[in-house]
């Protein structure tokens, strides 16, 4: 299993493959989801929010992140995340990120 990959086991037995994103950029999240990852662990942004304003900061960071994802999806003419497909994103050959 590639570095930064986690298997999350749901109590009912479902297994979800999750990828970690240290930078936590929206494009990393969209690429991962488009390439079949079912969950993405976003690293640093929420920590910055926590350091700046505690729980309220984390809430605001997550709100802005979600708002940005919705905006990016609209620009891609994809409304729900379920409509994302691998052909929707380009991945450079040297990129060893999500979904590889």
């Amino acid at each position: 299993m590639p570095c930064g990959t986690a298997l999350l086991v749901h109590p009912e037995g479902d297994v979800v493959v999750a990828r970690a994103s240290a930078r936590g950029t929206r494009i990393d999240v969209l690429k991962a989801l488009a390439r079949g990852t079912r969950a993405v662990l976003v690293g640093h942004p929420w920590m910055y929010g926590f350091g700046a304003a505690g729980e309220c900061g984390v809430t605001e960071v997550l709100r802005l992140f979600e708002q940005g994802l919705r905006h990016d999806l609209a620009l891609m003419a994809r409304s729900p995340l379920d409509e994302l497909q691998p052909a929707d994103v380009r991945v450079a050959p040297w990129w060893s990120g999500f979904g590889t």
Side-chain angles (χ1 to χ4, degrees):
M1 193 175 317
C3 184
T5 302
L7 291 179
L8 307 176
V9 181
H10 190 272
E12 295 175 5
D14 293 337
V15 176
V16 175
V17 176
R19 298 301 302 256
S21 171
R23 292 178 302 153
T25 63
R26 292 190 324 247
I27 192 64
D28 286 340
V29 172
L30 288 175
K31 283 181 180 179
L33 295 173
R35 298 188 76 203
T37 301
R38 294 188 43 205
V40 181
L41 309 172
V42 180
H44 295 143
W46 71 268
M47 291 189 293
Y48 299 142
F50 182 76
E55 183 180 345
C56 292
V58 173
T59 301
E60 182 65 8
V61 166
L62 294 177
R63 186 189 69 77
L64 291 171
F65 200 84
E66 179 184 17
Q67 180 182 348
L69 278 175
R70 290 181 189 279
H71 179 260
D72 294 343
L73 286 169
L75 291 174
M76 296 172 69
R78 300 283 187 240
S79 181
L81 285 173
D82 295 349
E83 290 184 1
L84 278 177
Q85 299 185 14
D88 292 333
V89 295
R90 290 188 206 165
V91 179
W94 51 264
W95 190 66
S96 62
F98 302 121
T100 57

XYZ file of all heavy atoms in Angstrom:
753
model
N 0.845 -1.171 0.000
C 0.000 0.000 0.000
C 0.897 1.243 0.000
O 1.826 1.327 0.778
C -0.876 -0.020 1.263
C -1.972 0.965 1.217
S -3.104 0.851 2.648
C -3.342 -0.865 2.838
N 0.626 2.236 -0.877
C 1.474 3.424 -0.949
C 1.477 4.210 0.354
O 0.519 4.181 1.118
C 0.832 4.261 -2.072
C -0.042 3.334 -2.821
C -0.436 2.248 -1.876
N 2.586 4.917 0.586
C 2.694 5.770 1.763
C 1.587 6.814 1.732
O 1.266 7.365 0.692
C 4.057 6.446 1.768
S 4.344 7.429 3.227
N 0.988 7.095 2.873
C -0.091 8.075 2.930
C -1.455 7.473 2.670
O -2.436 8.179 2.536
N -1.531 6.155 2.592
C -2.803 5.476 2.361
C -3.250 4.824 3.658
O -2.450 4.277 4.396
C -2.663 4.388 1.279
O -2.195 5.000 0.090
C -3.977 3.701 1.014
N -4.524 4.904 3.928
C -5.075 4.284 5.127
C -6.302 3.475 4.747
O -7.038 3.837 3.842
C -5.456 5.352 6.152
N -6.506 2.384 5.427
C -7.745 1.625 5.286
C -8.599 1.924 6.504
O -8.164 1.704 7.631
C -7.474 0.124 5.205
C -6.796 -0.373 3.945
C -6.587 -1.872 4.029
C -7.614 -0.030 2.718
N -9.767 2.449 6.282
C -10.689 2.741 7.366
C -11.766 1.670 7.349
O -12.415 1.458 6.336
C -11.315 4.127 7.173
C -10.329 5.282 6.968
C -11.075 6.571 6.700
C -9.431 5.427 8.171
N -11.966 0.990 8.441
C -12.945 -0.088 8.506
C -14.163 0.406 9.271
O -14.069 0.818 10.422
C -12.357 -1.344 9.183
C -13.391 -2.445 9.215
C -11.106 -1.794 8.454
N -15.294 0.394 8.603
C -16.560 0.797 9.204
C -17.033 -0.327 10.112
O -16.788 -1.496 9.843
C -17.580 1.061 8.086
C -18.832 1.698 8.561
N -19.892 0.979 9.014
C -19.173 2.999 8.661
C -20.859 1.797 9.372
N -20.445 3.039 9.160
N -17.725 0.000 11.215
C -18.188 -1.055 12.128
C -19.024 -2.136 11.451
O -19.056 -3.272 11.903
C -19.026 -0.293 13.154
C -18.493 1.085 13.136
C -18.020 1.331 11.730
N -19.675 -1.799 10.345
C -20.497 -2.793 9.653
C -19.690 -3.611 8.653
O -20.235 -4.389 7.890
C -21.667 -2.097 8.958
C -22.629 -1.450 9.944
C -23.713 -0.659 9.257
O -23.799 -0.681 8.013
O -24.493 -0.016 9.967
N -18.369 -3.404 8.628
C -17.521 -4.228 7.791
C -17.068 -3.586 6.497
O -16.259 -4.150 5.784
N -17.580 -2.408 6.147
C -17.146 -1.746 4.922
C -15.712 -1.252 5.088
O -15.332 -0.757 6.137
C -18.042 -0.548 4.593
C -19.459 -0.971 4.238
O -19.631 -2.130 3.827
O -20.367 -0.141 4.374
N -14.924 -1.388 4.042
C -13.552 -0.894 4.059
C -13.461 0.278 3.090
O -13.912 0.191 1.951
C -12.550 -1.995 3.639
C -11.138 -1.443 3.570
C -12.625 -3.165 4.604
N -12.902 1.381 3.554
C -12.746 2.579 2.733
C -11.265 2.876 2.598
O -10.536 2.882 3.583
C -13.466 3.789 3.388
C -13.210 5.051 2.603
C -14.953 3.512 3.520
N -10.825 3.100 1.374
C -9.441 3.500 1.142
C -9.391 5.018 1.234
O -10.133 5.717 0.556
C -8.942 3.043 -0.239
C -7.532 3.556 -0.496
C -8.998 1.538 -0.337
N -8.519 5.524 2.089
C -8.376 6.966 2.255
C -6.948 7.359 1.934
O -6.016 6.602 2.181
C -8.721 7.364 3.688
N -6.778 8.530 1.377
C -5.454 9.050 1.072
C -5.222 10.305 1.892
O -6.121 11.107 2.074
C -5.336 9.386 -0.416
C -5.515 8.211 -1.346
C -4.515 7.085 -1.128
N -3.148 7.514 -1.264
C -2.387 7.271 -2.307
N -2.870 6.599 -3.323
N -1.150 7.673 -2.329
N -4.015 10.492 2.359
C -3.671 11.669 3.157
C -3.143 12.771 2.261
O -2.402 12.523 1.329
C -2.618 11.304 4.198
N -3.576 13.985 2.545
C -3.102 15.153 1.814
C -2.487 16.113 2.805
O -3.198 16.809 3.527
C -4.269 15.828 1.080
O -3.857 17.056 0.542
N -1.169 16.149 2.878
C -0.499 17.026 3.844
C -0.787 18.491 3.536
O -1.076 19.278 4.426
C 1.001 16.772 3.827
N -0.724 18.842 2.257
C -1.004 20.226 1.893
C -2.487 20.522 1.978
O -2.883 21.623 2.286
C -0.493 20.537 0.484
C 1.007 20.529 0.393
C 1.449 20.782 -1.021
N 0.885 19.772 -1.907
C 0.648 19.957 -3.183
N 0.927 21.108 -3.736
N 0.162 18.999 -3.916
N -3.288 19.540 1.655
C -4.734 19.705 1.770
C -5.334 20.657 0.762
O -6.305 21.337 1.050
N -4.760 20.712 -0.449
C -5.333 21.595 -1.445
C -6.586 20.976 -2.042
O -6.735 19.758 -2.084
C -4.326 21.902 -2.570
O -4.020 20.687 -3.245
C -3.055 22.533 -2.019
N -7.472 21.829 -2.513
C -8.725 21.331 -3.096
C -8.456 20.487 -4.331
O -9.136 19.494 -4.571
C -9.643 22.500 -3.425
C -10.145 23.209 -2.208
C -11.235 24.216 -2.505
N -11.101 24.934 -3.738
C -10.861 26.246 -3.825
N -10.703 26.965 -2.743
N -10.807 26.826 -5.003
N -7.457 20.856 -5.122
C -7.186 20.079 -6.328
C -6.704 18.677 -5.966
O -7.044 17.708 -6.642
C -6.208 20.804 -7.277
C -6.170 20.120 -8.642
C -4.815 20.874 -6.702
C -7.467 20.155 -9.394
N -5.939 18.553 -4.895
C -5.523 17.222 -4.441
C -6.735 16.379 -4.075
O -6.821 15.199 -4.394
C -4.593 17.313 -3.235
C -3.196 17.789 -3.592
O -2.823 17.696 -4.774
O -2.493 18.249 -2.688
N -7.681 16.988 -3.390
C -8.899 16.284 -2.988
C -9.698 15.870 -4.221
O -10.140 14.725 -4.341
C -9.744 17.154 -2.040
C -11.104 16.518 -1.779
C -9.007 17.377 -0.729
N -9.877 16.793 -5.171
C -10.642 16.471 -6.373
C -9.970 15.377 -7.195
O -10.641 14.475 -7.696
C -10.849 17.720 -7.225
C -11.842 18.729 -6.661
C -11.876 19.978 -7.535
C -13.229 18.127 -6.549
N -8.646 15.430 -7.320
C -7.935 14.387 -8.059
C -8.114 13.034 -7.389
O -8.342 12.028 -8.052
C -6.445 14.716 -8.157
C -6.118 15.766 -9.174
C -4.623 16.015 -9.212
C -4.258 17.076 -10.218
N -2.813 17.330 -10.248
N -8.006 13.018 -6.086
C -8.143 11.753 -5.361
C -9.534 11.167 -5.540
O -9.692 9.977 -5.826
C -7.856 11.967 -3.880
N -10.552 11.995 -5.389
C -11.928 11.510 -5.518
C -12.242 11.091 -6.952
O -12.924 10.090 -7.175
C -12.906 12.568 -5.022
C -12.799 12.886 -3.524
C -13.687 14.071 -3.167
C -13.139 11.676 -2.675
N -11.735 11.840 -7.915
C -11.976 11.493 -9.316
C -11.325 10.169 -9.678
O -11.828 9.435 -10.514
C -11.454 12.594 -10.229
N -10.209 9.853 -9.029
C -9.483 8.625 -9.358
C -9.906 7.435 -8.505
O -9.277 6.402 -8.506
C -7.993 8.872 -9.260
C -7.589 9.962 -10.288
C -6.143 10.146 -10.395
N -5.611 9.025 -11.183
C -4.363 8.630 -11.101
N -3.530 9.209 -10.281
N -3.947 7.638 -11.835
N -11.002 7.597 -7.739
C -11.580 6.445 -7.059
C -11.387 6.362 -5.563
O -11.920 5.453 -4.928
N -10.643 7.270 -4.971
C -10.488 7.256 -3.518
C -11.820 7.660 -2.892
O -12.464 8.582 -3.349
C -9.379 8.244 -3.092
O -8.173 7.846 -3.729
C -9.189 8.250 -1.603
N -12.233 6.968 -1.864
C -13.535 7.249 -1.258
C -13.473 8.223 -0.094
O -14.499 8.715 0.360
C -14.192 5.945 -0.825
C -14.528 5.086 -2.042
C -15.343 3.876 -1.735
N -16.413 4.122 -0.818
C -16.966 3.188 -0.044
N -16.492 1.962 -0.090
N -17.940 3.471 0.768
N -12.278 8.509 0.399
C -12.131 9.463 1.497
C -10.748 10.101 1.391
O -9.795 9.458 0.984
C -12.277 8.759 2.845
N -10.664 11.377 1.745
C -9.393 12.087 1.714
C -9.182 12.725 3.079
O -10.060 13.410 3.595
C -9.370 13.170 0.617
C -8.024 13.875 0.583
C -9.692 12.566 -0.738
N -8.015 12.488 3.652
C -7.673 13.068 4.944
C -6.930 14.378 4.684
O -5.864 14.380 4.086
C -6.796 12.099 5.733
C -7.323 10.666 5.855
C -6.280 9.766 6.486
C -8.607 10.658 6.653
N -7.522 15.486 5.087
C -6.929 16.799 4.822
C -6.117 17.209 6.040
O -6.634 17.313 7.145
C -8.027 17.832 4.518
C -7.410 19.190 4.252
C -8.856 17.373 3.329
N -4.823 17.462 5.833
C -3.905 17.714 6.936
C -3.863 19.112 7.494
O -4.595 19.459 8.402
N -3.029 19.944 6.943
C -2.669 21.204 7.570
C -3.747 22.281 7.682
O -3.762 22.992 8.687
C -1.445 21.792 6.878
C -0.232 20.936 7.054
N 0.696 20.775 6.066
C 0.192 20.182 8.091
C 1.645 19.971 6.480
N 1.359 19.582 7.701
N -4.619 22.491 6.715
C -5.526 23.643 6.809
C -6.328 23.714 8.110
O -6.443 24.786 8.705
C -6.444 23.476 5.602
C -5.623 22.730 4.614
C -4.789 21.784 5.448
N -6.858 22.606 8.570
C -7.665 22.674 9.791
C -6.797 23.013 10.997
O -7.256 23.657 11.945
C -8.459 21.381 10.009
C -7.618 20.194 10.394
C -7.069 19.283 9.558
C -7.229 19.820 11.713
N -6.355 18.348 10.269
C -6.436 18.656 11.612
C -7.476 20.342 12.978
C -5.890 18.015 12.713
C -6.918 19.696 14.076
C -6.144 18.558 13.933
N -5.517 22.605 10.971
C -4.634 22.934 12.092
C -4.361 24.431 12.148
O -4.272 25.010 13.228
C -3.317 22.165 11.974
C -3.493 20.669 12.197
S -1.939 19.770 12.331
C -1.292 19.931 10.675
N -4.239 25.061 10.984
C -4.036 26.509 10.967
C -5.264 27.213 11.546
O -5.151 28.177 12.295
C -3.765 27.005 9.551
C -2.527 26.406 8.924
C -2.511 26.069 7.580
C -1.367 26.181 9.665
C -1.377 25.523 6.997
C -0.241 25.634 9.088
C -0.252 25.307 7.754
O 0.861 24.772 7.180
N -6.451 26.737 11.174
C -7.675 27.312 11.718
C -7.756 27.141 13.221
O -8.149 28.065 13.947
N -7.354 25.973 13.708
C -7.379 25.717 15.143
C -6.399 26.639 15.864
O -6.715 27.203 16.910
C -7.031 24.257 15.440
C -7.085 23.916 16.894
C -8.305 23.743 17.521
C -5.930 23.783 17.636
C -8.371 23.438 18.873
C -5.976 23.473 18.985
C -7.202 23.308 19.603
N -5.216 26.814 15.296
C -4.221 27.686 15.913
C -4.663 29.135 15.946
O -4.348 29.876 16.872
N -5.419 29.547 14.942
C -5.848 30.942 14.853
C -7.069 31.233 15.711
O -7.156 32.294 16.327
C -6.154 31.307 13.404
N -8.022 30.294 15.751
C -9.286 30.620 16.427
C -9.952 29.420 17.083
O -11.167 29.418 17.278
C -10.246 31.272 15.440
N -9.199 28.381 17.391
C -9.781 27.233 18.080
C -10.850 26.539 17.257
O -10.748 26.440 16.034
N -11.883 26.079 17.930
C -12.958 25.345 17.262
C -13.636 26.172 16.177
O -13.956 25.674 15.100
C -13.998 24.892 18.292
C -15.110 24.063 17.697
C -16.137 23.611 18.730
O -15.853 23.700 19.938
O -17.213 23.158 18.314
N -13.849 27.457 16.455
C -14.470 28.334 15.451
C -13.591 28.435 14.202
O -14.100 28.493 13.080
C -14.727 29.724 16.028
S -15.989 29.746 17.298
N -12.283 28.452 14.390
C -11.366 28.511 13.256
C -11.433 27.262 12.407
O -11.420 27.337 11.177
N -11.516 26.102 13.047
C -11.628 24.842 12.316
C -12.937 24.812 11.531
O -12.963 24.450 10.351
C -11.550 23.628 13.264
C -11.844 22.341 12.524
C -10.187 23.565 13.935
N -14.016 25.223 12.168
C -15.317 25.260 11.503
C -15.277 26.158 10.274
O -15.787 25.802 9.211
C -16.404 25.745 12.484
O -16.442 24.846 13.591
C -17.764 25.794 11.822
N -14.646 27.311 10.406
C -14.558 28.247 9.288
C -13.693 27.696 8.157
O -14.045 27.812 6.981
C -14.019 29.599 9.765
C -13.943 30.648 8.694
C -15.292 31.078 8.128
O -16.355 30.677 8.658
O -15.285 31.812 7.125
N -12.576 27.083 8.501
C -11.712 26.490 7.472
C -12.471 25.410 6.701
O -12.435 25.374 5.473
C -10.424 25.912 8.098
C -9.699 24.998 7.120
C -9.512 27.028 8.560
N -13.177 24.545 7.408
C -13.922 23.479 6.743
C -15.064 24.039 5.896
O -15.343 23.540 4.804
C -14.445 22.473 7.762
C -13.352 21.675 8.487
C -13.971 20.769 9.531
C -12.512 20.882 7.506
N -15.700 25.093 6.374
C -16.769 25.741 5.590
C -16.204 26.310 4.295
O -16.760 26.108 3.212
C -17.441 26.845 6.407
C -18.661 27.459 5.703
C -19.164 28.694 6.428
N -18.226 29.807 6.325
C -18.070 30.569 5.231
N -18.764 30.314 4.144
N -17.219 31.566 5.230
N -15.082 27.019 4.396
C -14.457 27.598 3.206
C -13.960 26.517 2.250
O -14.067 26.651 1.025
C -13.299 28.510 3.609
C -13.697 29.800 4.311
C -12.462 30.509 4.869
C -14.463 30.709 3.369
N -13.434 25.431 2.805
C -12.957 24.324 1.984
C -14.113 23.708 1.204
O -14.005 23.467 -0.003
C -12.295 23.279 2.883
C -11.364 22.355 2.162
C -10.055 22.727 1.915
C -11.789 21.112 1.744
C -9.183 21.878 1.247
C -10.941 20.260 1.085
C -9.627 20.639 0.836
N -15.232 23.473 1.885
C -16.408 22.901 1.214
C -16.945 23.854 0.152
O -17.285 23.437 -0.957
C -17.502 22.583 2.231
C -18.737 22.007 1.580
C -19.873 21.775 2.562
O -19.838 22.331 3.672
O -20.803 21.048 2.193
N -17.005 25.135 0.482
C -17.478 26.130 -0.470
C -16.583 26.139 -1.716
O -17.071 26.196 -2.842
C -17.486 27.507 0.190
C -17.945 28.628 -0.690
C -17.878 29.970 0.046
O -17.693 30.032 1.253
N -18.015 31.040 -0.700
N -15.282 26.067 -1.511
C -14.355 26.032 -2.631
C -14.507 24.780 -3.475
O -14.444 24.840 -4.708
N -14.723 23.628 -2.825
C -14.945 22.388 -3.584
C -16.200 22.482 -4.439
O -16.207 22.059 -5.592
C -15.058 21.194 -2.635
C -13.761 20.591 -2.135
C -14.042 19.496 -1.121
C -12.921 20.059 -3.272
N -17.250 23.035 -3.871
C -18.492 23.198 -4.650
C -18.258 24.107 -5.856
O -18.763 23.853 -6.950
C -19.610 23.745 -3.770
C -20.098 22.757 -2.740
C -21.245 23.356 -1.914
N -21.585 22.521 -0.804
C -22.366 21.444 -0.884
N -22.876 21.087 -2.035
N -22.631 20.736 0.195
N -17.492 25.167 -5.660
C -17.166 26.088 -6.738
C -16.354 25.376 -7.819
O -16.646 25.497 -9.015
C -16.387 27.282 -6.172
C -15.991 28.274 -7.208
N -14.721 28.311 -7.731
C -16.691 29.262 -7.814
C -14.659 29.280 -8.624
N -15.838 29.875 -8.686
N -15.337 24.631 -7.413
C -14.503 23.896 -8.369
C -15.330 22.884 -9.151
O -15.162 22.739 -10.361
C -13.363 23.183 -7.649
C -12.365 24.151 -7.028
O -12.361 25.340 -7.404
O -11.607 23.710 -6.146
N -16.220 22.183 -8.467
C -17.084 21.207 -9.143
C -17.992 21.894 -10.151
O -18.220 21.376 -11.247
C -17.922 20.432 -8.123
C -17.166 19.385 -7.317
C -18.021 18.890 -6.165
C -16.743 18.238 -8.207
N -18.519 23.062 -9.797
C -19.381 23.803 -10.725
C -18.590 24.210 -11.971
O -19.103 24.133 -13.094
C -19.960 25.027 -10.032
N -17.343 24.626 -11.798
C -16.513 24.991 -12.942
C -16.209 23.787 -13.830
O -15.962 23.935 -15.027
C -15.201 25.627 -12.465
C -15.328 27.010 -11.828
C -13.993 27.461 -11.263
C -15.855 28.024 -12.839
N -16.232 22.596 -13.236
C -16.000 21.365 -13.997
C -17.303 20.792 -14.557
O -17.304 19.732 -15.171
C -15.338 20.313 -13.098
C -13.965 20.692 -12.610
S -13.341 19.529 -11.363
C -13.088 18.065 -12.353
N -18.421 21.488 -14.321
C -19.750 21.023 -14.739
C -20.101 19.690 -14.084
O -20.726 18.829 -14.686
C -19.862 20.938 -16.256
N -19.698 19.534 -12.850
C -20.029 18.356 -12.042
C -20.676 18.864 -10.770
O -20.089 19.646 -10.042
C -18.776 17.554 -11.683
C -18.014 17.036 -12.864
C -18.732 15.834 -13.444
N -17.955 15.200 -14.486
C -18.382 15.069 -15.721
N -19.540 15.546 -16.081
N -17.644 14.456 -16.609
N -21.880 18.425 -10.504
C -22.551 18.934 -9.314
C -22.230 18.099 -8.085
O -21.553 18.553 -7.192
C -24.055 19.025 -9.551
O -24.678 19.537 -8.410
N -22.706 16.863 -8.007
C -22.301 16.081 -6.833
C -20.928 15.450 -7.080
O -20.514 15.243 -8.221
C -23.380 15.007 -6.717
C -23.923 14.843 -8.082
C -23.750 16.180 -8.766
N -20.241 15.166 -5.998
C -18.923 14.513 -6.106
C -19.008 13.184 -6.831
O -18.050 12.749 -7.458
C -18.326 14.303 -4.715
C -17.767 15.539 -4.029
C -17.381 15.208 -2.592
C -16.578 16.082 -4.780
N -20.159 12.528 -6.746
C -20.324 11.216 -7.371
C -20.130 11.258 -8.882
O -19.868 10.235 -9.505
C -21.709 10.640 -7.065
C -21.904 10.357 -5.594
O -20.910 10.400 -4.852
O -23.047 10.118 -5.190
N -20.282 12.443 -9.493
C -20.160 12.546 -10.941
C -18.715 12.634 -11.410
O -18.439 12.560 -12.592
C -20.935 13.767 -11.448
C -22.432 13.629 -11.341
C -23.160 14.819 -11.939
O -22.503 15.745 -12.456
O -24.388 14.827 -11.878
N -17.766 12.814 -10.489
C -16.359 12.904 -10.875
C -15.871 11.580 -11.444
O -16.221 10.519 -10.949
C -15.494 13.264 -9.670
C -15.412 14.729 -9.296
C -14.584 14.896 -8.034
C -14.837 15.553 -10.409
N -15.064 11.670 -12.495
C -14.499 10.480 -13.117
C -13.016 10.720 -13.388
O -12.584 11.870 -13.489
C -15.235 10.173 -14.412
C -16.700 9.899 -14.165
C -17.418 9.481 -15.417
O -16.786 9.152 -16.422
N -18.728 9.466 -15.369
N -12.228 9.665 -13.536
C -10.792 9.839 -13.774
C -10.483 10.747 -14.960
O -9.495 11.472 -14.951
C -10.292 8.414 -14.024
C -11.254 7.558 -13.276
C -12.590 8.257 -13.405
N -11.302 10.727 -15.996
C -11.056 11.560 -17.178
C -11.230 13.054 -16.884
O -10.816 13.889 -17.691
C -11.995 11.146 -18.302
N -11.810 13.395 -15.746
C -12.038 14.798 -15.398
C -10.777 15.514 -14.947
O -10.754 16.738 -14.876
C -13.092 14.916 -14.287
C -14.468 14.511 -14.763
O -14.740 14.627 -15.970
O -15.278 14.091 -13.913
N -9.745 14.781 -14.616
C -8.513 15.403 -14.130
C -7.318 14.882 -14.918
O -7.314 13.757 -15.394
C -8.291 15.139 -12.619
C -9.367 15.808 -11.788
C -8.229 13.668 -12.314
N -6.326 15.732 -15.034
C -5.068 15.330 -15.663
C -4.041 15.154 -14.559
O -3.942 15.974 -13.664
C -4.574 16.391 -16.626
C -5.396 16.505 -17.852
C -4.715 17.427 -18.813
N -5.726 18.019 -19.682
C -5.526 19.052 -20.438
N -4.345 19.639 -20.445
N -6.480 19.514 -21.195
N -3.292 14.095 -14.665
C -2.274 13.827 -13.665
C -0.938 13.677 -14.384
O -0.806 12.863 -15.302
C -2.603 12.546 -12.864
C -1.518 12.257 -11.850
C -3.958 12.685 -12.189
N 0.027 14.494 -13.974
C 1.351 14.418 -14.574
C 1.981 13.058 -14.267
O 1.762 12.501 -13.195
C 2.230 15.538 -14.026
N 2.758 12.519 -15.194
C 3.373 11.200 -14.985
C 4.249 11.133 -13.735
O 4.347 10.099 -13.108
C 4.221 10.983 -16.236
C 3.744 11.963 -17.237
C 3.098 13.087 -16.493
N 4.869 12.245 -13.368
C 5.756 12.256 -12.208
C 4.995 12.385 -10.892
O 5.553 12.219 -9.833
C 6.756 13.403 -12.314
C 6.103 14.723 -12.601
C 5.961 15.300 -13.829
C 5.483 15.604 -11.670
N 5.286 16.494 -13.713
C 4.975 16.708 -12.383
C 5.288 15.584 -10.297
C 4.308 17.760 -11.787
C 4.613 16.641 -9.705
C 4.147 17.714 -10.457
N 3.703 12.691 -10.952
C 2.925 12.930 -9.744
C 2.588 11.600 -9.075
O 1.922 10.760 -9.648
C 1.660 13.698 -10.078
C 0.914 14.190 -8.900
C 1.330 15.129 -8.010
C -0.390 13.805 -8.486
N 0.361 15.359 -7.074
C -0.702 14.550 -7.331
C -1.328 12.907 -8.970
C -1.902 14.424 -6.659
C -2.523 12.794 -8.295
C -2.796 13.529 -7.163
N 3.049 11.399 -7.875
C 2.799 10.126 -7.188
C 1.730 10.310 -6.127
O 1.773 9.695 -5.078
C 4.086 9.615 -6.547
O 4.530 10.537 -5.569
N 0.777 11.149 -6.431
C -0.254 11.468 -5.458
C -1.351 10.444 -5.396
O -1.134 9.254 -5.535
N -2.563 10.917 -5.234
C -3.729 10.090 -4.934
C -4.124 9.172 -6.061
O -3.991 9.491 -7.223
C -4.912 10.980 -4.613
C -4.668 11.910 -3.481
C -4.766 13.268 -3.649
C -4.323 11.426 -2.245
C -4.544 14.122 -2.604
C -4.103 12.266 -1.199
C -4.204 13.618 -1.376
N -4.662 8.049 -5.682
C -5.311 7.146 -6.615
C -4.366 6.407 -7.553
O -4.811 5.869 -8.535
N -3.076 6.410 -7.238
C -2.154 5.723 -8.127
C -1.914 4.313 -7.650
O -2.135 3.968 -6.538
C -0.817 6.478 -8.221
O -0.275 6.607 -6.912
C -1.010 7.809 -8.870
